[in-house]
Amino acid sequence: MEDRKLTVRAVERALDILMCFTKATDLGLTEISSQIGLHKSTVHRLMATLEEKGFVIRDAATEKYRLGLRIWELSAHLSHSDDPAVLLLPQMEQLRDRLGETVSLYLLDGMERLRIQAVQSKQAIRRVAPVGARLPLYVGASSKVLVAFADPGILQAVLSSPDWPASVDKEDYVRQMEEIRSKGYATSYEEREPGAAAVSAPIFNHAGQAAAALSVSGPVSRLSPQTLIEFGPILVQAAREMGMMMN
C-alpha cells in the first residue's frame, strides 16, 4: 500500500512539472523547483525520467528543458469529435476573418477559465491570446459568460472566494450576471487588462449546458463599447452554430 502511495505521488509531481510548461517554453531546474515547491534533486530525478521517455528535452548549452516530441504525438491523437479546440477551429478562423479580431475559446476549470484555442488577428496591432492561459472568473467577458450560464453554485463559490478583489463590487457583478443571461452575451472594457476589450457568448452543447465561451478581443482603439454591442449578436449566432457541432 505504501509503495502505491509513493507511485501516485511521483506521478502527481511529474504532471505538476509538465504543467509548468503552460507558462513558459524553456525552464531550468531552479525555476521548476520554485514553481512546484520541490527540492532540486527531486526535480532532477523526475526530469531525467521524463527526458528518457521523450516528454521533455534538455538543452545541453543552456541546461534548460522544453517539451519533447512525445507531447505532440499524444496531442495528434486527440479525437476531433470530442475536442472543441480542434473541432471548432475552422469556424473560429471564419469568425476572425469576418470581424478582424482575435478569437478565443475558453472552458471553465475549477475557479478559473482556461483558454484552449485561439486564432490571432491578422492586424498589425492586435491582442495576442496564448493558448493554455488560466485567468480568474471575476473579471473579463468570457469569465462572466462562463459564470452566468453555469450551475448557480459556481457563482456563489466565485463570490465567496478569498481571492475576490476589493475593487470589484459584488452586487454589481450579480447584476451583470442577470443582464448577461438576458442578452446572451457579455462585454468587458479594460476590466482585466488596460487597453483591451472583449465580447463573449456561451456555446451550449446538445444537453443545453454551457460547454465553453467564445470570445472576440482586441485593442480599445478598435473595439469601442458600441462596437462590442454590435458584435454581440454576431457572436451569439456563431456560438449557436458551433454548439450544434458539439456532442
Side-chain angles (χ1 to χ4, degrees):
M1 186 66 176
E2 184 64 26
D3 289 342
R4 184 173 181 273
K5 288 183 178 178
L6 290 174
T7 301
V8 171
R9 182 180 298 176
V11 172
E12 289 177 346
R13 288 174 170 177
L15 292 174
D16 286 341
I17 287 174
L18 291 177
M19 290 303 295
C20 289
F21 290 92
T22 62
K23 302 175 183 178
T25 303
D26 300 276
L27 292 168
L29 286 177
T30 301
E31 295 168 295
I32 297 172
S33 175
S34 175
Q35 287 191 40
I36 65 176
L38 288 178
H39 195 276
K40 284 178 62 176
S41 61
T42 302
V43 173
H44 183 267
R45 290 195 299 272
L46 291 167
M47 295 303 289
T49 301
L50 290 171
E51 183 179 10
E52 181 182 350
K53 295 295 184 179
F55 286 93
V56 297
I57 298 172
R58 188 176 73 90
D59 188 319
T62 63
E63 295 189 350
K64 288 196 172 187
Y65 295 86
R66 64 180 185 275
L67 292 177
L69 296 179
R70 191 69 68 186
I71 296 291
W72 306 116
E73 288 181 41
L74 290 174
S75 64
H77 288 84
L78 283 171
S79 171
H80 287 207
S81 62
D82 295 333
D83 182 13
V86 177
L87 179 68
L88 303 180
L89 181 58
Q91 284 66 37
M92 293 176 65
E93 291 174 336
Q94 291 176 15
L95 186 62
R96 183 271 314 276
D97 293 341
R98 179 181 180 184
L99 300 181
E101 303 295 348
T102 295
V103 178
S104 300
L105 189 65
Y106 294 91
L107 297 182
L108 179 66
D109 187 22
M111 296 298 290
E112 297 175 309
R113 58 174 158 128
L114 172 66
R115 185 184 291 122
I116 63 167
Q117 185 61 280
V119 180
Q120 311 296 340
S121 169
K122 295 180 180 179
Q123 304 202 52
I125 299 176
R126 60 183 182 272
R127 176 118 195 291
V128 177
V131 173
R134 290 180 174 273
L135 302 167
L137 291 178
Y138 40 78
V139 288
S142 296
S143 291
K144 292 186 291 187
V145 157
L146 289 170
V147 174
F149 292 97
D151 182 272
I154 297 296
L155 174 58
Q156 294 306 314
V158 172
L159 291 172
S160 60
S161 170
D163 296 325
W164 184 276
S167 59
V168 180
D169 183 80
K170 290 186 178 181
E171 291 185 1
D172 181 61
Y173 185 85
V174 172
R175 284 194 295 269
Q176 288 187 57
M177 295 297 104
E178 297 173 355
E179 183 179 352
I180 291 164
R181 284 190 286 268
S182 175
K183 294 191 305 182
Y185 66 90
T187 62
S188 62
Y189 196 82
E190 295 189 301
E191 278 188 7
R192 189 185 63 83
E193 183 180 335
V199 56
S200 180
I203 297 177
F204 294 101
N205 58 23
H206 288 176
Q209 301 168 324
L214 178 67
S215 172
V216 170
S217 60
V220 295
S221 58
R222 290 196 302 268
L223 292 184
S224 66
Q226 181 58 38
T227 301
L228 294 177
I229 293 173
E230 293 171 359
F231 279 5
I234 298 174
L235 213 61
V236 169
Q237 179 60 33
R240 183 179 296 116
E241 293 172 359
M242 292 182 188
M244 296 174 65
M245 300 172 60
M246 298 180 65
N247 291 330

